[in-house]
């Protein structure tokens, strides 16, 4: 029996699709990577009985990156990144072992069916999966088709079965367009980001951003926000005057009339008009009109409109809204949420989707009435040729979804019902009055038929008082005429909804990437999100955009990126050559980069006005080992130490606190040590600022603290304080934190495992002896007599933290509160603790602790 491997984009999708196709009769087990499951069942494929295996990836399998030295900022000129730097596809998340997992599942299979998301990114992932699986599949007869692509828009029985019945092929052109975008963004973004980050962080201490990033889409997005800020700052209010008249309609009712001239900017002119009208006792009706008007039902919902409403009405940021929509989609509640289309295809089952909502407690009456009277065909919108508009696929309640998921689902459902409802019809009445020589008007609206506003009440026509019945020539007594002084007001900061509109209008990003670009400018501290989800640029964001305008406006204007997006779309349509588009675009930006570097002084002049030099920033903390003067600790991101006398800057671990470590010095370079800590319950370790930036030994890398230092005799090093291999990660070593007493801690120097142990112990030391069972270093522990937990009122004990039954009772394992970027694992690191006191040469790894010797530490993970 032949085997068919099917691959979806997410584990939850794989389970849902397999459940539908197997009609529930499937067996499931976890894959070797622990993140993806494999669902198996038997069925028929291409007219023959087969064994089906359904599994998934977790988004992109591969990611594009530079090779070797080109990933090191200090060793490569950023200009080389445009053409000379070679790139390669690497595993997107090595911890998932996705490549090995797919090879294991794909080995021996005869056919593959790709159930990746049906957009350009999905097509790209298709070919990532094929590159991994095709080499290990069974070889077939020449000409036999083995690769199939399923096209679907929702996780429903009908859609999934229909997709399985009409399998196609993956689109190589769409995948190439994604490859081109990835390479452009990598080369352009990295070159500009590396240059301006190194240039400005080496000069200014209060930028408060760990990365001064540039992105071909991110920067124009920031440009829109700063452009609005500039308009607000340059706005000069003007005073103007309006006339307002009030007439008596009857004894208890009066009408407020609007001046037909609207406003004048000259007070004397306004006063003249007031003098001409204020003495009039009567207002004569000049004309009346009553017109029936319609407020159109909305177009079918696409991604951009959903994100706009989520931000403006639901208070959800675009990134969060998109993630919530994707969860609703994978759970089968809505159709695919990434679409540019606002037009339903002719064969779309509108009534079927509406019937799903017929018993919902919130809108059952409206739905039943629509089904009984006949639905109204949705307005004709834009057909982008991708997916149908976002539609609810099954009914759900607030108790079922809860929180933001329910709020977004409710909006999507109400929007869908509104698209098949009737327009709102209302009567607009207008009366034109003459008061002396001047004309005034009042108007009112009366709803005839609420139509779609019954289901979308926030769109309803505002209630207004009905106007009196009158005709031309009738007169009303004038209650008063007065002149009001007002001022023009500046525009407000852009809302996320307005920014999304601008990005869509100018072709910046795609429906899927727009939320990412907005999130990026927030994360980089270029804008802050104010009340009403308005985006206010920070000083850094403003200076960057003004600097780009000063040097090369095209770096921040949307025009050039819009043109690039059009070229990428032509690649996707097979109308443009991938290599030519890539080469031409990179050549343009390479020239712009060289001009930017030559002209950076223009941006630097703006930076000098807004930010302080490194020498004038921060507070004295520790002494430099070269000049023995105090270095200043700069707390703003990225936190670092700066010696103004030597003009040297030393990076530090991020996302924690830094303080002086007992005025102790490094024996190698005489720099005072500092202590990094992630909090009282987290991990902490000392480090030498110089060694952290300039590794002293070959087996060390930049960004290692004393807990990873292989110095054979230094009292703070791994050699002296290391205990044994970490219970979770393969490359880490558990190291005693000598500063943690009396609440002692042992922490992994690679991952975020922390063991709290020996509380109230007077002293804890790492012994020169090792455990006979696991070869971990023994610990010498001294307790205060009054608080000793040791049996027989003992105060001292030496034992192995892994194997000693007395110590096992005194250990509590936790994950640290945070894990800073320098705690990274990987093959080739030291697996044990080399010590210099006669047991083994420094740096030699301990043998791995036997698997069957499960200690109290390891047991916490079971």
């Amino acid at each position: 029996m032949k085997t068919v491997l099917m691959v979806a984009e997410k584990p939850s999708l794989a389970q849902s699709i397999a459940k539908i196709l197997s009609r529930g009769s499937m067996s499931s087990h976890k894959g070797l990577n622990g993140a993806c499951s494999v669902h198996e069942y038997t069925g028929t494929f291409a007219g023959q009985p087969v064994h089906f295996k359904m599994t998934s990836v977790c988004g992109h399998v591969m990611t594009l990156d530079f090779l070797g030295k080109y990933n090191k900022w200090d060793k490569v000129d950023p200009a080389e990144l445009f053409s000379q730097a070679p790139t390669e596809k690497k595993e997107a998340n090595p911890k998932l072992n996705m490549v090995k997992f797919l090879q294991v599942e794909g080995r021996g299979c005869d056919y593959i069916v790709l159930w990746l998301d049906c957009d350009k990114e999905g097509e790209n992932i298709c070919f990532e999966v094929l590159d991994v699986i095709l080499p290990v599949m069974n070889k077939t007869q020449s000409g036999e088709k083995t690769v199939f692509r399923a096209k679907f828009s929702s996780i429903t029985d009908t859609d999934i079965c229909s997709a399985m019945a009409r399998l196609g092929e993956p689109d190589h052109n769409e995948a190439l367009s994604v490859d081109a975008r990835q390479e452009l963004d990598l080369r352009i973004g990295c070159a500009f980001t590396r240059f301006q980050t190194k240039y400005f962080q080496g000069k200014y201490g209060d930028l408060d951003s760990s990365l001064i990033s540039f992105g071909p889409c991110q920067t124009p997005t920031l440009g829109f926000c700063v452009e609005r800020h500039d308009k607000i700052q340059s706005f000069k209010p003007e005073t103007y005057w309006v006339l307002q008249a009030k007439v008596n309609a009857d004894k208890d009712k009066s009408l407020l009339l609007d001046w037909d001239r609207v406003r004048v900017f000259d007070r004397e002119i306004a006063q003249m008009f007031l003098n001409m009208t204020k003495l009039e006792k009567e207002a004569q009706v000049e004309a009346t009109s009553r017109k029936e008007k319609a407020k159109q039902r909305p177009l079918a919902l696409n991604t951009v409109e959903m994100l706009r409403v989520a931000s403006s009405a639901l208070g959800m940021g675009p990134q969060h809204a998109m993630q919530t929509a994707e969860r609703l989609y994978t759970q089968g509640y809505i159709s695919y949420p990434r679409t540019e289309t606002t037009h339903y295809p002719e064969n779309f089952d509108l009534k079927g989707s509406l019937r799903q909502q017929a018993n919902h407690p919130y809108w059952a009456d409206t739905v039943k009435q629509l089904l009984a009277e006949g639905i109204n065909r949705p307005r004709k919108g834009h057909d982008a040729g991708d997916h149908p508009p976002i539609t609810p696929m099954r009914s759900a309640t607030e108790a079922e979804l809860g929180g933001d998921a329910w709020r977004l689902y409710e909006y999507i459902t109400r929007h869908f019902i509104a698209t098949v409802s009737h327009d709102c019809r209302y009567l607009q009445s207008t009366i034109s009055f003459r008061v002396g020589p001047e004309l005034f008007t009042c108007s009112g609206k009366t709803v005839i038929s609420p139509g779609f506003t019954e289901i979308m009440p926030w769109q309803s026509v505002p209630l207004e008082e009905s106007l009196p019945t009158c005709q031309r020539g009738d007169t009303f007594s004038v209650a008063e005429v007065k002149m009001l002084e007002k001022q023009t007001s500046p525009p407000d900061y852009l809302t996320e909804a307005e920014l999304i509109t601008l990005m869509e209008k100018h072709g910046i990003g795609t429906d899927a990437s727009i939320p990412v670009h907005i999130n990026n400018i927030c994360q980089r501290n270029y804008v802050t999100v104010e009340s009403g989800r308005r985006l206010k640029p920070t000083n850094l964001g403003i200076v960057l955009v003004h600097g780009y305008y000063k040097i090369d406006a095209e770096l921040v204007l949307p025009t050039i990126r819009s043109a690039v997006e059009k070229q990428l779309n032509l690649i996707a349509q097979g109308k443009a050559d991938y290599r030519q588009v890539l080469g031409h675009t990179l050549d343009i930006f390479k020239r712009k980069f060289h001009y930017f570097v030559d002209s950076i002084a223009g941006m630097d002049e703006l930076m000098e006005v807004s930010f302080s030099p490194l020498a004038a920033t921060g507070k004295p903390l520790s002494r430099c080992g070269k000049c023995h003067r105090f270095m200043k600790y700069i707390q703003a991101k990225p936190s670092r130490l700066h010696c103004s006398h030597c003009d040297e800057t030393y990076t530090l671990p991020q996302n924690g606190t830094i303080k002086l470590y007992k005025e102790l010095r490094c024996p190698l370079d005489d720099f005072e040590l500092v202590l990094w800590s992630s909090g009282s319950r987290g991990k902490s370790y000392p480090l030498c600022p110089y060694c952290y930036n300039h590794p002293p030994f070959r087996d060390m890398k930049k960004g290692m603290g004393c807990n990873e230092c292989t110095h054979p005799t230094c009292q703070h090093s791994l050699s002296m304080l290391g205990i044994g291999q970490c219970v979770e990660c393969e490359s880490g070593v558990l190291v005693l934190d000598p500063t943690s007493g009396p609440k002692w801690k042992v922490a992994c120097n690679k991952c975020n495992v922390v063991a709290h142990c020996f509380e109230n112990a007077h002293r804890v030391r790492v012994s020169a002896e090792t455990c006979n069972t696991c070869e971990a270093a023994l610990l010498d522990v001294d307790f205060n007599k009054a608080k000793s937990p040791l049996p027989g009122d003992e105060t001292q004990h030496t034992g192995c933290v892994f194997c000693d039954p007395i110590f096992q009772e005194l250990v509590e394992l936790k994950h640290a509160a945070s894990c800073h970027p320098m705690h990274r694992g990987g093959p080739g690191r030291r697996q044990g603790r080399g010590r210099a006191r006669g047991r083994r040469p420094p740096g030699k790894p301990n043998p791995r602790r036997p698997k069957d010797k499960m200690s109290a530490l390891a047991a916490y993970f079971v």
Side-chain angles (χ1 to χ4, degrees):
M1 185 182 290
K2 291 189 174 182
T3 302
V4 179
L5 178 67
M6 302 194 292
V7 183
E9 191 157 323
K10 295 184 179 74
S12 56
L13 270 179
Q15 183 179 9
S16 300
I17 294 169
K19 197 171 183 181
I20 292 169
L21 293 175
S22 68
R23 303 179 188 275
S25 58
M26 63 181 186
S27 62
S28 303
H29 65 270
K30 278 284 184 187
L32 66 86
N33 65 356
C36 303
S37 295
V38 182
H39 313 282
E40 301 185 58
Y41 63 97
T42 55
T44 57
F45 185 81
Q48 58 182 320
V50 296
H51 176 70
F52 284 102
K53 290 170 67 177
M54 181 71 175
T55 187
S56 72
V57 291
C58 297
H60 275 283
V61 180
M62 312 300 285
T63 187
L64 191 70
D65 204 355
F66 294 114
L67 278 171
K69 70 172 186 177
Y70 292 95
N71 270 321
K72 297 178 180 178
W73 287 35
D74 298 329
K75 295 189 176 181
V76 176
D77 181 352
E80 294 181 33
L81 302 181
F82 284 97
S83 54
Q84 297 176 30
T87 59
E88 65 173 345
K89 291 270 189 176
K90 298 179 180 177
E91 275 201 68
N93 189 343
K95 291 183 179 179
L96 287 177
N97 286 319
M98 192 60 69
V99 169
K100 185 178 179 182
F101 166 70
L102 290 174
Q103 287 174 339
V104 168
E105 298 304 329
R107 184 167 284 109
C109 291
D110 302 281
Y111 306 99
I112 181 169
V113 181
L114 299 158
W115 289 86
L116 285 307
D117 285 353
C118 299
D119 57 11
K120 291 172 186 173
E121 293 289 339
E123 297 301 323
N124 190 262
I125 300 172
C126 280
F127 286 91
E128 293 176 357
V129 172
L130 290 176
D131 287 343
V132 173
I133 290 179
L134 285 180
V136 300
M137 285 176 60
N138 289 339
K139 304 301 178 187
T140 57
Q141 299 173 2
S142 59
E144 185 180 3
K145 187 177 177 182
T146 58
V147 176
F148 300 88
R149 175 73 160 110
K151 297 278 187 177
F152 59 102
S153 295
S154 61
I155 314 302
T156 61
D157 293 14
T158 304
D159 212 11
I160 296 302
C161 293
S162 174
M164 191 66 180
R166 46 182 178 80
L167 296 173
E169 296 180 5
D171 191 324
H172 190 245
N173 289 325
E174 288 200 345
L176 277 178
S177 73
V178 175
D179 282 339
R181 178 182 282 109
Q182 287 178 349
E183 187 162 348
L184 288 174
D185 289 350
L186 176 70
R187 292 186 182 277
I188 297 168
C190 284
F192 278 91
T193 298
R194 289 186 189 183
F195 171 72
Q196 61 189 29
T197 299
K198 288 174 68 178
Y199 187 89
F200 291 121
Q201 284 189 350
K203 293 191 70 174
Y204 303 102
D206 52 351
L207 297 176
D208 202 23
S209 181
S210 54
L211 205 66
I212 315 299
S213 65
F214 174 94
C217 287
Q218 170 195 298
T219 304
T221 302
L222 174 62
F224 291 129
C225 300
V226 175
E227 182 184 13
R228 176 60 66 87
H229 167 83
D230 291 343
K231 287 180 179 178
I232 295 170
Q233 295 302 307
S234 61
F235 182 84
K236 294 181 179 178
E238 289 187 79
T239 305
Y240 65 91
W241 290 265
V242 299
L243 295 191
Q244 191 180 78
K246 188 188 289 186
V247 299
N248 296 319
D250 54 42
K251 290 181 180 179
D252 303 319
K253 185 178 178 182
S254 60
L255 300 176
L256 207 59
L257 312 184
D258 297 319
W259 191 22
D260 280 16
R261 295 183 189 272
V262 184
R263 61 186 179 182
V264 293
F265 288 88
D266 189 314
R267 191 182 192 288
E268 291 184 1
I269 299 294
Q271 186 64 49
M272 178 191 74
F273 285 124
L274 177 65
N275 294 338
M276 292 165 62
T277 56
K278 69 179 181 180
L279 298 178
E280 296 292 329
K281 301 297 184 185
E282 290 186 339
Q284 186 174 12
V285 177
E286 285 289 303
T288 62
S289 67
R290 291 165 68 86
K291 290 183 181 178
E292 186 175 316
K293 292 191 173 184
K295 184 174 184 177
Q296 284 189 312
R297 61 198 180 282
L299 286 167
L301 186 64
N302 67 2
T303 306
V304 169
E305 181 62 19
M306 178 190 73
L307 296 177
R308 269 197 291 252
V309 174
S311 176
S312 61
L314 304 181
M316 296 168 63
Q319 180 108 339
H320 176 52
M322 199 70 229
Q323 290 168 348
T324 305
E326 286 173 350
R327 280 199 302 274
L328 290 171
Y329 161 67
T330 56
Q331 292 165 358
Y333 290 107
I334 64 172
S335 63
Y336 193 60
R338 292 198 286 268
T339 177
E340 297 174 14
T341 295
T342 57
H343 177 71
Y344 283 108
E346 296 300 321
N347 61 352
F348 192 91
D349 186 9
L350 293 165
K351 284 187 177 179
S353 297
L354 196 60
R355 285 194 195 99
Q356 297 272 3
Q357 307 295 333
N359 295 315
H360 197 281
Y362 284 12
W363 42 73
D365 293 343
T366 303
V367 170
K368 287 175 181 175
Q369 186 177 348
L370 277 172
L371 290 169
E373 296 176 356
I375 64 172
N376 197 20
R377 188 71 198 168
R379 290 167 57 196
K380 187 170 183 178
H382 169 65
D383 185 359
D386 49 1
H387 289 273
I390 304 168
T391 309
M393 302 314 296
R394 61 187 174 102
S395 184
T397 62
E398 186 172 2
E400 192 176 341
L401 296 178
D404 288 341
W406 160 252
R407 293 165 65 225
L408 189 61
Y409 172 83
E410 181 185 15
Y411 167 70
I412 290 169
T413 305
R414 287 183 181 275
H415 190 109
F416 167 69
I417 298 170
T419 62
V420 295
S421 299
H422 294 277
D423 292 344
C424 171
R425 293 189 298 115
Y426 62 93
L427 190 67
Q428 180 160 309
S429 304
T430 306
I431 306 175
S432 180
F433 292 90
R434 180 177 293 279
V435 180
E438 291 302 293
L439 294 176
F440 294 82
T441 305
C442 70
S443 59
K445 296 171 184 173
T446 307
V447 175
I448 301 171
S449 170
F452 78 93
T453 61
E454 273 190 330
I455 196 70
M456 296 177 81
W458 61 90
Q459 293 275 16
S460 59
V461 174
L463 292 173
E464 295 179 0
E465 292 187 48
S466 57
L467 299 181
T469 303
C470 58
Q471 57 188 2
R472 190 171 190 273
D474 289 352
T475 59
F476 291 79
S477 62
V478 176
E480 67 171 340
V481 179
K482 60 183 178 182
M483 182 173 70
L484 302 177
E485 181 180 305
K486 297 185 177 183
Q487 276 195 329
T488 55
S489 57
D492 212 334
Y493 285 102
L494 282 179
T495 62
E496 285 173 333
E498 291 168 338
L499 180 57
I500 291 167
T501 302
L502 285 170
M503 294 175 73
E504 182 192 32
K505 177 183 175 183
H506 292 280
I508 300 300
T510 63
D511 51 2
S513 66
I514 282 174
V516 177
H517 301 316
I518 296 175
N519 187 61
N520 281 345
I521 63 174
C522 297
Q523 293 294 318
R524 298 283 185 260
N525 194 35
Y526 293 162
V527 299
T528 57
V529 182
E530 305 291 316
S531 61
R533 301 210 66 85
R534 296 190 177 275
L535 302 171
K536 183 178 181 181
T538 62
N539 273 348
L540 180 58
I542 294 164
V543 171
L544 281 175
V545 169
H546 289 175
Y548 294 135
Y549 271 117
K550 192 173 183 180
I551 297 171
D552 182 356
E554 284 191 336
L555 292 175
V556 72
L557 290 172
T559 47
I560 193 166
R561 182 60 191 194
S562 181
V564 171
E565 288 289 346
K566 289 175 183 175
Q567 292 296 311
L568 294 175
N569 286 332
L570 289 176
I571 294 174
Q573 296 163 21
K575 296 178 181 178
D577 181 76
Y578 160 77
R579 286 288 163 201
Q580 287 181 352
V581 170
L582 198 61
H584 177 67
T585 307
L586 287 174
D587 184 59
I588 290 173
F589 273 96
K590 184 177 181 180
R591 293 168 188 269
K592 289 183 173 295
F593 176 77
H594 284 297
Y595 183 73
F596 180 74
V597 171
D598 293 340
S599 310
I600 193 66
M603 184 182 280
D604 197 23
E605 289 172 359
L606 302 177
M607 286 281 188
E608 286 178 346
V609 175
S610 300
F611 301 104
S612 304
L614 274 175
T617 313
K619 296 179 180 179
L621 179 69
S622 66
R623 290 186 184 273
C624 170
K626 296 178 180 180
C627 66
H628 299 289
R629 289 179 169 85
F630 275 105
M631 297 187 293
K632 286 188 174 181
Y633 172 49
I634 299 163
Q635 197 167 358
K637 290 183 181 179
S639 57
R640 53 210 190 275
L641 285 168
H642 177 70
C643 177
S644 56
H645 185 264
C646 301
D647 196 22
E648 291 278 355
T649 303
Y650 302 96
T651 59
L652 297 170
Q654 304 297 304
N655 305 321
T657 58
I658 292 283
K659 62 182 181 181
L660 189 63
Y661 184 50
K662 304 178 181 177
E663 298 185 358
L664 298 172
R665 293 177 182 265
C666 175
L668 295 173
D669 49 49
D670 212 29
F671 274 71
E672 282 189 330
L673 303 183
V674 295
L675 184 73
W676 178 88
S677 173
S678 65
S680 59
R681 299 296 288 174
K683 65 194 292 183
S684 59
Y685 58 84
L687 61 107
C688 163
Y690 189 85
C691 294
Y692 189 83
N693 289 269
H694 305 91
F697 304 112
R698 286 183 180 180
D699 57 352
M700 290 181 64
K701 294 185 178 180
K702 185 176 180 179
M704 288 185 171
C706 295
N707 62 344
E708 293 183 82
C709 178
T710 54
H711 192 293
T713 58
C714 176
Q715 61 177 324
H716 317 294
S717 69
L718 169 65
S719 303
M720 303 299 285
L721 296 175
I723 297 171
Q725 185 180 334
C726 177
V727 296
E728 181 171 285
C729 70
E730 294 184 358
S731 57
V733 178
L734 291 174
V735 181
L736 175 68
D737 180 355
T739 69
S740 56
K743 297 183 178 181
W744 297 91
K745 289 183 287 190
V746 172
C748 177
N749 62 3
K750 291 289 193 295
C751 71
N752 58 343
V753 165
V754 177
H756 297 270
C757 51
F758 315 128
E759 188 166 351
N760 297 319
H762 175 65
R763 183 172 57 183
V764 177
R765 290 176 299 176
V766 180
S767 169
E769 305 302 319
T770 57
C771 174
N772 293 329
T773 304
C774 69
E775 291 202 14
L778 302 182
L779 293 181
D780 297 328
V781 184
D782 293 351
F783 284 98
N784 292 320
K785 190 169 185 178
K787 297 182 179 180
S788 176
L790 300 176
D793 293 328
E794 293 288 328
T795 58
Q796 294 183 343
H797 186 74
T798 300
C800 174
V801 74
F802 297 111
C803 308
D804 191 308
I806 295 176
F807 279 176
Q808 286 180 7
E809 298 296 322
L810 305 177
V811 175
E812 175 194 1
L813 186 70
K814 288 181 181 277
H815 279 271
S818 67
C819 179
H820 71 82
M822 293 302 180
H823 301 154
R824 43 184 193 273
R829 295 291 184 86
R830 304 176 74 245
Q831 293 192 359
R833 69 183 270 283
R835 289 172 55 85
R837 294 193 219 167
R839 285 199 310 277
R840 66 180 67 85
K844 183 176 179 181
N846 281 332
R848 192 165 183 154
R849 187 161 46 88
K851 289 280 184 183
D852 56 347
K853 297 290 283 185
M854 289 293 288
S855 69
L857 288 171
Y860 274 93
F861 283 108
V862 177

